[in-house]
Amino acid sequence: MSRGIHLALHPYGVGGPGQHGLWKDPRVAKNASIDIGYYIRQAQAAEHALFDALFIVDSQFINATYPAHYLNRLEPLTLLSAVATHTRHIGLVGTASSTYNSPFNLARRFASLDLISGGRAGWNVVTSFDTGTSRNFGLDEHLDYATRYGRALEFVQVARGLWDSYEDDAFPADVERGVFLDPRRLHALDHVGEHFRVAGPLNVSRSPQGQPVIFQAGVSAEGRDLAARVAEGVYAPGGTLEQAREYYADVKRRAAAHGRDPEHLKVFLHGGPVVAATDARARRREREIFEEDNDFDRNLALLGRSFGAYDFGVHDLDAPFPDVAHLAEKGGRTGAAQIIRRAREQELTLRQVVESVAAFRESPFVGSPTTVADTIEEWFAAGTLDGINLAFRTDDDLELFVDGVVPLLRERGLFRTAYEADTLRGHLGLPVPANRHTRVRERAGG
Amino acid sequence: MSRGIHLALHPYGVGGPGQHGLWKDPRVAKNASIDIGYYIRQAQAAEHALFDALFIVDSQFINATYPAHYLNRLEPLTLLSAVATHTRHIGLVGTASSTYNSPFNLARRFASLDLISGGRAGWNVVTSFDTGTSRNFGLDEHLDYATRYGRALEFVQVARGLWDSYEDDAFPADVERGVFLDPRRLHALDHVGEHFRVAGPLNVSRSPQGQPVIFQAGVSAEGRDLAARVAEGVYAPGGTLEQAREYYADVKRRAAAHGRDPEHLKVFLHGGPVVAATDARARRREREIFEEDNDFDRNLALLGRSFGAYDFGVHDLDAPFPDVAHLAEKGGRTGAAQIIRRAREQELTLRQVVESVAAFRESPFVGSPTTVADTIEEWFAAGTLDGINLAFRTDDDLELFVDGVVPLLRERGLFRTAYEADTLRGHLGLPVPANRHTRVRERAGG
């Protein structure tokens, strides 16, 4: 089933960038984003459905106009560690910034989660999108784009080096010989690079999956290249089927160009499926959800987020879109640059830009269970995805998908009927990376 | 019972600075220090005995001669988060370095643990003892002693500021008025200090105990002063009853001098009780344990640890103790300075220094259950401790204490018969700190 579709669950908590009004739903606990019980139940539901992973997003910056999703929430590794001991199979993927962490500490925390979960940890590497984050870490400004990506690459390389500190046979714990540790199986890293100097060794040994799985969301050329070089799962930007196919082929090609097996880079599309008894009802519900979330002030704040938490509220809404080109240039904000280009070409006011950015768009995975299963199958066959990162507004929506769509995917041989492994690597069909020191020794010996 | 004795459990895992040979004991799992099940069972046993807290030590540096205790172990917050959802009352105190973390990230992780545990988190603030740690974080050398302590003080102040980001009524989540967040109840910190600039706000709200409890181990004048200024629990260096009484009086006096209620700084002694049916058998067992752990190479490495992971192995064991005064001066190593002084006064060789540092010393809490209970009562009455941080070699030893000594302490009114609270602050008789912003508003209003 490693050739089937991989499914991950992305629990929302309360509200989010696209779920502004969700907290008003009586089925959603107002404190869900800080309630560990909520996350444990979500993980157990996903595990019951045999999903590959639970995926936790993050940001280290908020302000009062921010999406409720990020406002008040548990730190991902603390969260996932608590979830780990209440689940047995499902992968646990947490988001953490390579810009605002140190490799030794973060490598250690993911290694700990990997041991606590028996080999189910995954790290979604982000370079931190929100500019304001820098001010929580003593910097007036984000590191520039190229530096952030260079740092991310080296960070992952250092983490992987630290994760190999202990070979699997490092602790003979041989009472007769009086040997607890075999010091020849413990290795310092002595990394000296452009961004980091880290001696090691790490004081955590390897898990049953060897090392945590690396995820990344690469959109720009730098992002795609980072994913192609080090990621084992990548969150694709989505769009139309044609755009998704282009992206899929591009990152697989880039992975191969780096000498990797493209099969070892799994592409996940984001999907917020809306399932109902009929297609018409599902489409109606999709529109209702859009209206529930649609709020001009929220949309204005979200537009500002693309420009580095810029406050567009200081401008006249009905004057031409303001000159904010300097914000788009800073930090290589490709989305912001596109918005400026369109505003100029179409001579839009600020209000018109806000409305066009937040305009209703139909999403692909909406319809009756059969329609949604058909669409997933079509997109999978078209070479757009290896997996889908699924987000649902309520437990009812999750249930409609799990009870309606998943059985159809199973019937068609597209999704597992039982867990074939206990590790995240196992679910994704990724090999356990050999310890670099063991490999060198074995080569030398053979 | 907040005037009774507080008991914390410090689980060893496998081996430790004073438990070198423990891994050979067939009752101890060889992988205990990376087995989350071990820690969950320890926490549950301690909770069953109504202990105040579980205490997890840490270090971010190892080498092959290091105590097994630190060699391979779970990161404390990841560990405690997993333990949190398998316990309901016991406090969860984790060690983390103020030298090798950033305040925003660490404050957030402790705030998350505090929410996940329902108000049971404690942070043992360390400035990182082991010199080699710096090389895992891009620095050749530790920050100097005064800088480390200045940074620790400011770090705690920043963390406490961040923990007050949300007032308790920040989320009205009022569907009728359409108000999820009340932005007037969310506060940036805008801290600009000598060591840190942190804007905030933190994206985690307060727990039922308001803020995590701050612990510290203050030995030197700087350490005692830091404890007196910001700690709510302090790990005392121990020694004789007279030394412990002097320390207790000193830190309480220092706390009062800083305008604090000395009752709000709880002094914990470290105790590794040895309990047996008779005093003679307990003393014999104490001696046996010493012999099991006594190993010249280990003792040589431990001596080196006091001098900054210095390798004394390069010196002639039978020559006069080498001139390492420069190592003792660096970073204000008071223990190392004492060793040098004694070696000089008594004209000791390196071998003799190693043997004298590691010499057998009787510890106070050894004997039959009655003797140990008597000693604890005596030390408590003498004003040496508010609590004891208990370490046991095996589950059998824990059981001997819990079944033999604890009931006697209860009979004498010295230890609780039921939990009177669900938070760590509640167990320790510490007040919930009012949110600074709420306090200011209420003062202004009144």
Side-chain angles (χ1 to χ4, degrees):
Chain A
M1 190 47 61
S2 72
R3 297 307 302 268
I5 292 174
H6 302 288
L7 297 178
L9 178 64
H10 163 189
Y12 273 144
V14 271
Q19 296 75 43
H20 184 66
L22 182 57
W23 64 270
K24 295 178 193 166
D25 192 311
R27 293 168 297 181
V28 176
K30 305 290 178 270
N31 69 340
S33 66
I34 55 165
D35 175 9
I36 193 64
Y38 165 79
Y39 290 100
I40 291 172
R41 288 189 299 274
Q42 291 280 305
Q44 289 174 335
E47 182 165 279
H48 186 72
L50 309 180
F51 281 18
D52 296 72
L54 188 77
F55 169 67
I56 304 293
V57 298
D58 197 37
S59 168
Q60 291 152 302
F61 168 72
I62 58 164
N63 62 36
T65 62
Y66 239 54
H69 194 31
Y70 290 119
L71 272 179
N72 184 21
R73 53 183 286 116
L74 301 170
E75 185 275 329
L77 275 114
T78 328
L79 186 166
L80 289 172
S81 187
V83 168
T85 58
H86 295 274
T87 51
R88 293 186 56 190
H89 297 278
I90 194 162
L92 304 167
V93 183
T95 300
S97 170
S98 58
T99 305
Y100 299 108
N101 278 290
S102 61
F104 189 90
N105 283 345
L106 196 65
R108 187 155 174 242
R109 293 163 59 206
F110 273 107
S112 296
L113 176 64
D114 213 21
L115 283 175
I116 289 170
S117 63
R120 297 185 280 133
W123 170 25
N124 176 36
V125 182
V126 297
T127 66
S128 291
F129 174 78
D130 293 307
T131 321
T133 312
S134 63
R135 292 193 296 273
N136 290 331
F137 295 90
L139 297 170
D140 290 325
E141 292 284 340
H142 254 356
L143 300 173
D144 69 68
Y145 201 68
T147 306
R148 293 215 307 279
Y149 274 91
R151 185 182 155 107
L153 174 63
E154 190 179 327
F155 197 120
V156 172
Q157 289 165 339
V158 170
R160 284 182 167 158
L162 290 170
W163 288 333
D164 277 354
S165 293
Y166 282 109
E167 295 186 62
D168 289 346
D169 53 356
F171 291 100
D174 183 329
V175 176
E176 290 199 8
R177 291 190 298 130
V179 176
F180 183 64
L181 166 75
D182 179 349
R184 296 167 306 171
R185 301 291 180 263
L186 171 62
H187 303 275
L189 181 65
D190 291 324
H191 173 87
V192 178
E194 188 183 338
H195 302 279
F196 304 108
R197 284 190 299 144
V198 183
L202 192 69
N203 52 354
V204 187
S205 57
R206 282 163 52 110
S207 84
Q209 72 172 349
Q211 297 193 345
V213 180
I214 301 290
F215 290 78
Q216 208 258 335
V219 181
S220 66
E222 290 89 342
R224 291 178 188 212
D225 203 58
L226 177 63
R229 288 176 77 164
V230 297
E232 298 164 288
V234 63
Y235 297 108
T240 64
L241 185 138
E242 200 39 64
Q243 287 166 334
R245 183 151 51 188
E246 181 281 322
Y247 181 88
Y248 186 95
D250 182 60
V251 292
K252 296 272 180 172
R253 195 161 47 228
R254 286 172 188 258
H258 284 292
R260 296 179 59 199
D261 182 344
E263 287 285 310
H264 295 164
L265 173 59
K266 303 295 179 186
V267 178
F268 282 79
L269 277 190
H270 181 83
V274 180
V275 181
T278 66
D279 290 354
R281 280 169 65 175
R283 284 291 170 200
R284 205 155 55 227
R285 176 80 189 115
E286 185 190 22
R287 184 86 210 189
E288 276 168 16
I289 290 169
F290 171 78
E291 296 300 344
E292 278 171 24
D293 286 338
N294 196 23
D295 176 279
F296 189 84
D297 289 340
R298 189 276 312 238
N299 295 340
L300 191 70
L302 281 182
L303 179 70
R305 192 180 171 207
S306 300
F307 287 81
Y310 180 70
D311 182 9
F312 278 104
V314 302
H315 296 285
D316 181 353
L317 289 169
D318 297 306
F321 190 70
D323 181 8
V324 287
H326 61 291
L327 295 174
E329 283 153 21
K330 192 151 53 182
R333 295 193 181 105
T334 48
Q338 272 173 24
I339 289 167
I340 291 173
R341 203 175 315 120
R342 203 176 54 237
R344 195 175 300 147
E345 284 167 12
Q346 304 178 17
E347 299 183 359
L348 301 177
T349 63
L350 173 55
R351 186 189 303 279
Q352 286 169 326
V353 167
V354 172
E355 282 167 353
S356 78
V357 167
F360 177 74
R361 287 176 193 82
E362 284 198 346
S363 41
F365 306 122
V366 175
S368 69
T370 307
T371 298
V372 172
D374 288 350
T375 312
I376 291 174
E377 185 171 5
E378 180 199 352
W379 282 56
F380 181 63
T384 65
L385 60 89
D386 296 311
I388 310 179
N389 201 24
L390 298 158
F392 300 97
R393 293 177 71 86
T394 69
D395 292 350
D396 292 346
D397 295 312
L398 170 60
E399 207 176 296
L400 282 166
F401 185 86
V402 167
D403 294 349
V405 180
V406 172
L408 297 177
L409 297 178
R410 283 204 182 104
E411 278 172 24
R412 303 174 189 187
L414 292 171
F415 190 63
R416 68 173 62 83
T417 53
Y419 280 115
E420 39 320 270
D422 295 322
T423 67
L424 179 52
R425 283 185 189 280
H427 304 329
L428 296 179
L430 297 169
V432 173
N435 184 299
R436 62 192 65 195
H437 306 287
T438 311
R439 205 169 52 214
V440 167
R441 272 200 302 120
E442 286 176 352
R443 273 200 202 132
Chain B
M1 189 47 59
S2 71
R3 299 305 303 267
I5 292 174
H6 302 288
L7 297 178
L9 178 64
H10 163 189
Y12 273 141
V14 271
Q19 294 75 43
H20 184 67
L22 182 56
W23 65 269
K24 296 177 193 168
D25 191 313
R27 293 169 296 182
V28 175
K30 305 290 178 265
N31 69 340
S33 66
I34 54 163
D35 175 9
I36 194 63
Y38 165 79
Y39 289 100
I40 291 172
R41 289 188 299 274
Q42 291 279 305
Q44 288 173 335
E47 182 165 278
H48 187 72
L50 310 180
F51 282 17
D52 296 72
L54 188 78
F55 169 67
I56 305 294
V57 299
D58 196 39
S59 170
Q60 291 152 302
F61 168 72
I62 58 165
N63 62 38
T65 63
Y66 238 54
H69 193 32
Y70 290 119
L71 272 180
N72 185 19
R73 53 182 287 115
L74 301 171
E75 184 275 329
L77 274 113
T78 329
L79 186 166
L80 289 173
S81 187
V83 169
T85 59
H86 294 274
T87 51
R88 292 186 54 190
H89 296 279
I90 195 163
L92 304 168
V93 183
T95 299
S97 171
S98 58
T99 304
Y100 299 109
N101 278 290
S102 60
F104 189 90
N105 282 344
L106 196 66
R108 186 155 175 241
R109 292 163 60 207
F110 273 107
S112 296
L113 177 64
D114 213 22
L115 283 174
I116 289 170
S117 64
R120 296 185 282 133
W123 171 25
N124 176 36
V125 182
V126 297
T127 66
S128 291
F129 175 78
D130 293 307
T131 322
T133 312
S134 63
R135 293 193 294 275
N136 290 331
F137 295 90
L139 297 171
D140 291 325
E141 293 282 340
H142 253 357
L143 300 174
D144 70 67
Y145 202 67
T147 306
R148 293 216 307 280
Y149 275 91
R151 186 182 153 107
L153 174 63
E154 190 179 327
F155 198 121
V156 173
Q157 289 165 339
V158 170
R160 285 183 167 159
L162 290 170
W163 288 333
D164 278 354
S165 293
Y166 282 108
E167 295 185 62
D168 290 345
D169 53 356
F171 290 100
D174 183 329
V175 176
E176 290 200 4
R177 290 190 298 131
V179 176
F180 182 64
L181 165 75
D182 178 350
R184 295 166 307 169
R185 301 290 179 264
L186 171 62
H187 303 274
L189 182 63
D190 290 324
H191 172 87
V192 178
E194 189 181 339
H195 303 279
F196 304 108
R197 283 189 299 144
V198 182
L202 192 69
N203 51 355
V204 187
S205 57
R206 283 163 52 112
S207 84
Q209 71 172 351
Q211 297 193 345
V213 180
I214 301 290
F215 290 78
Q216 208 260 333
V219 181
S220 65
E222 288 88 343
R224 291 179 189 213
D225 203 57
L226 177 62
R229 288 176 77 164
V230 298
E232 297 163 288
V234 62
Y235 297 108
T240 64
L241 185 138
E242 200 40 61
Q243 288 167 333
R245 182 151 50 188
E246 181 279 323
Y247 180 88
Y248 185 96
D250 182 60
V251 291
K252 297 272 181 171
R253 198 162 43 229
R254 286 172 189 257
H258 284 293
R260 296 180 59 200
D261 182 344
E263 288 284 312
H264 295 164
L265 174 59
K266 303 295 180 186
V267 178
F268 281 79
L269 277 189
H270 182 83
V274 180
V275 181
T278 67
D279 289 354
R281 281 170 64 176
R283 285 291 171 199
R284 206 154 56 228
R285 177 79 188 116
E286 183 190 23
R287 184 86 211 187
E288 277 169 17
I289 290 169
F290 172 79
E291 297 301 343
E292 279 171 22
D293 286 337
N294 196 24
D295 175 279
F296 189 84
D297 289 341
R298 189 276 313 235
N299 295 340
L300 192 70
L302 282 183
L303 180 70
R305 193 183 172 205
S306 301
F307 288 81
Y310 181 69
D311 181 8
F312 278 103
V314 302
H315 296 285
D316 182 353
L317 288 169
D318 298 306
F321 188 71
D323 181 8
V324 286
H326 61 290
L327 295 175
E329 283 151 21
K330 193 151 53 183
R333 296 192 181 106
T334 49
Q338 272 172 23
I339 290 167
I340 292 173
R341 205 175 314 123
R342 203 176 54 237
R344 195 176 300 146
E345 283 167 11
Q346 302 178 17
E347 298 183 358
L348 301 176
T349 63
L350 173 55
R351 187 189 303 280
Q352 288 168 325
V353 166
V354 172
E355 282 167 353
S356 77
V357 167
F360 178 74
R361 287 174 193 85
E362 285 197 343
S363 42
F365 307 122
V366 176
S368 69
T370 307
T371 298
V372 172
D374 288 350
T375 311
I376 290 174
E377 184 170 5
E378 181 199 350
W379 282 56
F380 180 63
T384 66
L385 61 86
D386 297 312
I388 310 179
N389 200 25
L390 298 158
F392 300 96
R393 290 177 75 84
T394 67
D395 291 350
D396 292 348
D397 296 311
L398 170 61
E399 205 176 296
L400 282 165
F401 184 87
V402 167
D403 294 348
V405 180
V406 172
L408 297 176
L409 297 178
R410 281 202 184 107
E411 278 172 23
R412 302 174 191 187
L414 291 170
F415 190 64
R416 67 173 63 85
T417 53
Y419 280 115
E420 36 325 87
D422 296 322
T423 67
L424 179 52
R425 285 186 187 279
H427 304 330
L428 297 178
L430 296 169
V432 173
N435 184 300
R436 63 193 66 196
H437 305 289
T438 312
R439 207 170 49 216
V440 167
R441 271 200 302 120
E442 286 176 352
R443 273 203 201 127

